[in-house]
Amino acid sequence: MTILSLQHIQKQYDISQQNGFLALRDVSFNVDEGEYVAIMGESGAGKTTLLNIIATLDNATGGEIILNNQNLKQLSEKHAAQFRREHLGFVFQNFNLLDTFNNEENILLPLVLDKKSVPDMKMRLATLAKQLEIEGILKRFPYEISGGQKQRIAAARALITQPDLLLADEPTGALDSHNTERLLTIFESVNQQGQTILMVTHSAKAASHAKRTLFIKDGKIFHEIYRGDQSRTAYMSKINASLEALSNDDEEMMQS
Amino acid sequence: MIHIRLAWHGIIHHRQQFGPFLLASTVLMAVNFTFFAVLNNTGLKTIEMGEAIRSVTTIGTVFTIILSAIFMLYANNFLNKQRNQDLSIYSMLGLRLHDLRFIVIIEQMILWLLTIVMGIIAGTTFFRLSFLLLKHLLGSNTLVEQLPVRAIVSCCILFSVIFCCLIIYNIYQLYQVKPIQLMRQSQATEKAPKNRWLMSWFGLALLGTGYAISVMTKPNLSAILQFMLAVVLVTVGTYILFIMGSITLLKYLKSRPHFYYRPNHFIAVSGMLFRMKQNGASLASICLLCASILVTMVASVSLFVGEGQLIKQWNPLDIMTLSQSDTLLQHEQQIVHLGRQHDIKIGNIYQASMTTPIIGDFSGNQYISHTNISKGVSQLSTMTLADYNQIQGTKLKLKDDEVLVYTQADDFHQQTLKINGHTYHSQTIAHFKLAANYGHSIFKPIFIITANQQVAQTINPQKMVAR
Ligand SMILES: Nc1ncnc2c1ncn2[C@@H]1O[C@H](COP(=O)(O)OP(=O)(O)OP(=O)(O)O)[C@@H](O)[C@H]1O
Ligand SMILES: [Mg+2]
């Protein structure tokens, strides 16, 4: 079942001004339930812009976007916030945890805002904490733990609402290779449990964990490749080749 | 309610930021409270010179109100960055703008309440102390300290207004809080301050006008109003100049490549730009406070130093009596009688009739009298040469169109004096034994000695007797 559908999405910054900038020209793709999609592209290609639009944090200037049977264009500010709370989870490059709350409270905050019952909270937290290996640091504060641990706390906060779609913008951007690997394994395993994930990344290694990779260039989907039954390494070298082609603008190689 | 909990939680956990803010607001409230309490003290109205204390205190109050308002806005800015970061995370997690607004309002209300309570406690303590000091200074026993209910009310109103402004400002700021900024990761870098030529010039103009007023104002009765205006202009001007002018100047320096691209200039100027943006207001406050300390100090020192001179001016003789009718003989007898009773030898007795002073001002060789006495600087009295000779022990002679002029500051050196449409040949005299400012007024006394009664009356028709 299609959970996210983008049709001819266009985004123009500074629309009122003469030098308006077209960050997204024409982006169309679908994401099915249970998919794990990576989005790659050069810096400035419009990846974050695209993610913002899907996240209801920004509005497209053209095209249709339907998330979970809801046309995002018709969402008011008030409903967008509620929609985010109920259907979306976020992981950022720079974690964005609240230093005033300890890690446990940070994770539970979305549930508290949603007025969930306490036993329910505790139950969900227990399962997640075990899976993400953060049980030992729950009572500490975000400023008392490492970057890799912070990102796992942030992931737990995003996952605890059991969102329809997990959005991640360069989640491994600030992590070393060990912690990157750890986070990616977690993403992969929650995906196997049915969590749909859309992840923007610069790293071929990160993308190689996903089931599908989209390449964006000049505000358009340039290319996409599926992992299928390939091994991780084979898939990763294919991604690398695509990336090279992307920067060389080598259309022919894409065809092969 | 989740909003209250979030707001309270934020305040508790960001106490490093909120603590100093509350300290600042409490101290400001206490200071304002003290001023209001002095202003509202009924005892002060009845004592001698109480009006003067009140009017000076009014100036101080205006000054501190402006200072408080600006400083609070500025202290609030310190909180904003952190708050906006938190709020955008809440927003990302699904809180609506409406909820965020609510959190901001509750947070401000908590701060407001804390400020009011702590401010009143600190203020009453502060006020007790300063009132004791004032009482000691005045040596007055009639002054009673009252529970300053009205001061509490005024102060609460003032700070409620300030906090209302803060709420409005913060809610306005809220529209710039977008979770999208978290994604863009642009939060960490602060925007470079904008260049504001117009405001800088405006600030400079305000400051200039303020100082011009204070320099050009003559020391007359209406001066206190102009002084107040000058205080307001200088205060506002200083803030604008420090906050915006400094940045404009630094930007100007930056725009000159020959100056800017030198190792020491480069780092100093670009570093200063961001630092001035954050600290312009506090520097301005420090400057203003220093200036007011200077003013207070100079005033106190000059009062202290000038005390002897002032007493001499006000009372050149040991005993002076003043009468509008011819009861001088009685006065004299009484004084001699009193002297005998207390074994005091009465020395020289001088007697002179002079006219009640006309308030006015010299302009070149002309004396212009003002009907609106709040504009005048001097008071002019006339007396006859006969009296003068008797007092000074001289034997001067004057023609009808000749006068002697005595000014305290010895600042009249014209050959002629035009007054009431007549022109007289004038001669300045350096000493005059009866040169007393008998009204203890702020006007500078001027004495004109004329040839006879008639001339004296043409210059100034009223009569008075002094001894
Ligand atoms: N608020 C904005 N106003 C104007 N232009 C913008 C704005 N935000 C982004 N852009 C422009 O849109 C383009 C796409 O930006 P975006 O942040 O989506 O790139 P990105 O693919 O996420 O890059 P990176 O990999 O470096 O994060 C860029 O050229 C950028 O300059
Ligand atoms: Mg990006």
Side-chain angles (χ1 to χ4, degrees):
Chain A
M1 200 191 94
T2 304
I3 193 165
L4 172 71
S5 159
L6 281 80
Q7 275 137 36
H8 310 294
I9 289 299
Q10 187 198 57
K11 175 67 187 181
Q12 184 167 15
Y13 282 112
D14 303 321
I15 203 159
S16 53
Q17 283 160 13
Q18 290 287 310
N19 56 349
F21 179 79
L22 205 56
L24 296 175
R25 278 170 207 282
D26 183 6
V27 176
S28 307
F29 66 90
N30 290 328
V31 176
D32 287 342
E33 210 173 332
E35 256 201 301
Y36 184 0
V37 179
I39 297 176
M40 298 193 78
E42 289 177 334
S43 189
K47 304 182 295 294
T48 301
T49 308
L50 181 63
L51 210 65
N52 284 341
I53 292 171
I54 300 172
T56 72
L57 300 174
D58 206 349
N59 290 315
T61 48
E64 292 276 298
I65 172 162
I66 293 161
L67 180 55
N68 208 10
N69 296 325
Q70 169 71 50
N71 191 333
L72 295 190
K73 240 189 195 161
Q74 292 158 358
L75 231 46
S76 65
E77 185 276 332
K78 187 174 144 189
H79 289 107
Q82 194 181 353
F83 186 82
R84 278 202 293 281
R85 193 164 73 213
E86 287 168 2
H87 301 286
L88 297 175
F90 299 91
V91 179
F92 301 96
Q93 179 177 354
N94 58 351
F95 324 127
N96 285 318
L97 297 172
L98 286 154
D99 272 342
T100 56
F101 292 98
N102 70 23
N103 294 325
E104 183 178 336
E105 291 163 338
N106 260 294
I107 297 171
L108 292 179
L109 194 58
L111 296 184
V112 175
L113 296 181
D114 215 18
K115 304 190 180 84
K116 286 277 187 304
S117 75
V118 176
D120 185 22
M121 285 186 201
K122 293 287 175 197
M123 206 184 68
R124 291 198 204 185
L125 179 68
T127 15
L128 260 182
K130 197 157 174 235
Q131 188 178 5
L132 273 62
E133 298 168 39
I134 46 175
E135 289 148 306
I137 51 171
L138 282 180
K139 295 295 174 199
R140 286 200 237 162
F141 281 84
Y143 49 82
E144 294 170 334
I145 58 176
S146 77
Q149 290 168 329
K150 277 190 205 178
Q151 197 59 298
R152 271 179 282 146
I153 299 290
R157 181 180 64 185
L159 291 169
I160 200 153
T161 55
Q162 296 162 346
D164 298 328
L165 180 62
L166 177 69
L167 296 169
D169 193 2
E170 297 180 40
T172 60
L175 305 183
D176 66 5
S177 63
H178 172 65
N179 278 305
T180 299
E181 199 56 48
R182 231 169 137 176
L183 187 76
L184 291 171
T185 319
I186 288 167
F187 273 17
E188 220 174 342
S189 75
V190 294
N191 174 245
Q192 270 155 19
Q193 291 162 20
Q195 176 68 54
T196 318
I197 302 175
L198 189 64
M199 172 176 71
V200 165
T201 182
H202 276 287
S203 126
K205 193 171 156 196
S208 71
H209 283 259
K211 289 181 182 162
R212 174 158 65 124
T213 304
L214 296 170
F215 295 90
I216 291 194
K217 182 169 182 163
D218 296 331
K220 283 187 203 156
I221 301 285
F222 183 68
H223 183 52
E224 72 179 326
I225 50 178
Y226 284 87
R227 179 169 167 187
D229 301 327
Q230 301 170 72
S231 73
R232 271 259 305 288
T233 26
Y235 184 47
M236 196 161 124
S237 56
K238 217 169 159 189
I239 292 170
N240 274 324
S242 298
L243 278 177
E244 206 166 310
L246 194 72
S247 55
N248 294 338
D249 211 342
D250 193 344
E251 293 269 357
E252 278 167 49
M253 196 178 160
M254 290 283 106
Q255 311 305 324
S256 65
Chain B
M1 272 259 276
I2 186 78
H3 303 97
I4 299 176
R5 270 168 55 199
L6 285 177
W8 180 247
H9 187 92
I11 292 176
I12 295 293
H13 283 262
H14 288 306
R15 46 182 176 270
Q16 267 123 327
Q17 283 101 325
F18 283 100
F21 177 85
L22 277 174
L23 186 71
S25 61
T26 305
V27 169
L28 285 174
M29 171 125 177
V31 171
N32 277 293
F33 179 84
T34 310
F35 274 101
F36 279 123
V38 171
L39 269 185
N40 282 322
N41 189 287
T42 44
L44 208 56
K45 284 178 195 159
T46 55
I47 68 163
E48 195 190 0
M49 293 307 197
E51 250 335 290
I53 292 175
R54 275 171 54 84
S55 57
V56 172
T57 313
T58 312
I59 296 178
T61 314
V62 171
F63 180 74
T64 44
I65 289 176
I66 298 176
L67 207 86
S68 315
I70 295 177
F71 204 85
M72 291 286 291
L73 208 72
Y74 161 74
N76 177 61
N77 266 345
F78 266 114
L79 305 178
N80 256 341
K81 206 178 159 199
Q82 183 63 54
R83 174 179 350 184
N84 290 351
Q85 174 90 29
D86 286 5
L87 290 179
S88 44
I89 294 179
Y90 293 153
S91 170
M92 176 207 64
L93 292 176
L95 280 191
R96 290 163 294 168
L97 197 59
H98 166 83
D99 298 308
L100 300 185
R101 231 179 279 153
F102 209 56
I103 293 177
V104 167
I105 291 174
I106 289 173
E107 181 198 278
Q108 291 297 315
M109 296 224 302
I110 294 173
L111 292 177
W112 170 78
L113 215 69
L114 286 174
T115 301
I116 294 278
V117 171
M118 299 199 304
I120 287 174
I121 295 171
T124 27
T125 324
F126 226 54
F127 169 65
R128 285 249 158 89
L129 278 174
S130 54
F131 204 78
L132 280 179
L133 209 70
L134 183 67
K135 241 167 115 168
H136 181 73
L137 277 177
L138 293 175
S140 156
N141 293 324
T142 52
L143 216 52
V144 246
E145 191 195 308
Q146 309 154 310
L147 181 73
V149 181
R150 282 187 53 188
I152 291 176
V153 173
S154 322
C155 227
C156 287
I157 291 173
L158 173 67
F159 274 77
S160 307
V161 170
I162 290 179
F163 270 95
C164 273
C165 293
L166 291 188
I167 288 179
I168 291 167
Y169 177 76
N170 289 338
I171 285 183
Y172 165 73
Q173 286 269 304
L174 208 58
Y175 288 91
Q176 291 162 6
V177 172
K178 302 237 168 71
I180 196 167
Q181 273 159 0
L182 289 175
M183 285 225 172
R184 286 209 190 97
Q185 281 136 28
S186 65
Q187 283 262 313
T189 51
E190 208 171 329
K191 256 190 256 162
K194 273 187 235 128
N195 205 349
R196 291 212 183 86
W197 281 104
L198 205 69
M199 278 312 269
S200 308
W201 286 119
F202 180 61
L204 201 64
L206 285 186
L207 196 64
T209 321
Y211 275 118
I213 289 176
S214 64
V215 169
M216 291 191 313
T217 300
K218 292 175 186 160
N220 53 29
L221 279 178
S222 64
I224 213 137
L225 264 178
Q226 295 180 24
F227 182 62
M228 218 177 309
L229 184 67
V231 166
V232 172
L233 287 178
V234 168
T235 312
V236 176
T238 306
Y239 273 112
I240 294 178
L241 207 60
F242 266 80
I243 295 170
M244 294 171 198
S246 61
I247 283 164
T248 309
L249 178 69
L250 288 168
K251 284 243 165 169
Y252 169 70
L253 290 179
K254 211 174 164 174
S255 71
R256 293 177 51 200
H258 287 297
F259 177 85
Y260 186 53
Y261 293 107
R262 298 274 170 75
N264 43 353
H265 294 170
F266 190 77
I267 293 165
V269 171
S270 56
M272 279 284 276
L273 251 178
F274 279 92
R275 243 167 281 156
M276 278 313 284
K277 189 193 170 195
Q278 289 160 359
N279 299 322
S282 64
L283 274 182
S285 308
I286 292 167
C287 279
L288 285 173
L289 290 175
C290 283
S292 44
I293 289 173
L294 267 180
V295 168
T296 319
M297 237 166 62
V298 168
S300 317
V301 168
S302 62
L303 262 182
F304 189 74
V305 171
E307 199 181 2
Q309 205 189 345
L310 197 67
I311 289 174
K312 218 169 125 197
Q313 255 177 38
W314 282 3
N315 311 295
L317 303 173
D318 288 339
I319 299 172
M320 266 173 70
T321 67
L322 215 65
S323 169
Q324 301 245 9
S325 52
D326 277 332
T327 51
L328 280 178
L329 212 64
Q330 253 168 280
H331 288 180
E332 194 178 329
Q333 281 166 356
Q334 205 173 355
I335 290 165
V336 172
H337 177 69
L338 269 173
R340 213 175 284 136
Q341 260 183 358
H342 294 92
D343 266 342
I344 292 166
K345 216 178 134 233
I346 305 292
N348 292 329
I349 294 174
Y350 306 110
Q351 186 179 332
S353 346
M354 49 180 89
T355 56
T356 26
I358 24 175
I359 309 296
D361 210 349
F362 275 125
S363 152
N365 69 340
Q366 199 168 3
Y367 188 83
I368 301 159
S369 68
H370 295 295
T371 36
N372 179 0
I373 63 158
S374 69
K375 284 200 180 127
V377 177
S378 316
Q379 52 181 353
L380 182 142
S381 315
T382 50
M383 61 187 288
T384 58
L385 184 69
D387 281 348
Y388 177 78
N389 278 337
Q390 190 227 329
I391 292 162
Q392 300 286 89
T394 50
K395 291 199 170 71
L396 294 176
K397 289 219 161 59
L398 287 177
K399 292 197 189 109
D400 273 6
D401 61 346
E402 283 178 339
V403 291
L404 295 176
V405 179
Y406 173 84
T407 57
Q408 205 156 39
D410 198 18
D411 53 4
F412 183 81
H413 295 287
Q414 306 283 343
Q415 297 300 313
T416 54
L417 172 67
K418 247 171 106 175
I419 185 164
N420 266 357
H422 296 270
T423 308
Y424 303 94
H425 293 285
S426 66
Q427 202 182 336
T428 319
I429 46 177
H431 299 286
F432 179 46
K433 284 183 184 161
L434 275 190
N437 182 351
Y438 43 76
H440 299 184
S441 66
I442 67 163
F443 303 110
K444 292 189 279 186
I446 297 168
F447 293 94
I448 306 283
I449 321 296
T450 57
N452 53 46
Q453 191 85 29
Q454 203 199 334
V455 183
Q457 295 279 319
T458 21
I459 292 175
N460 186 350
Q462 269 175 320
K463 199 172 163 185
M464 166 180 287
V465 194
R467 159 187 271 250

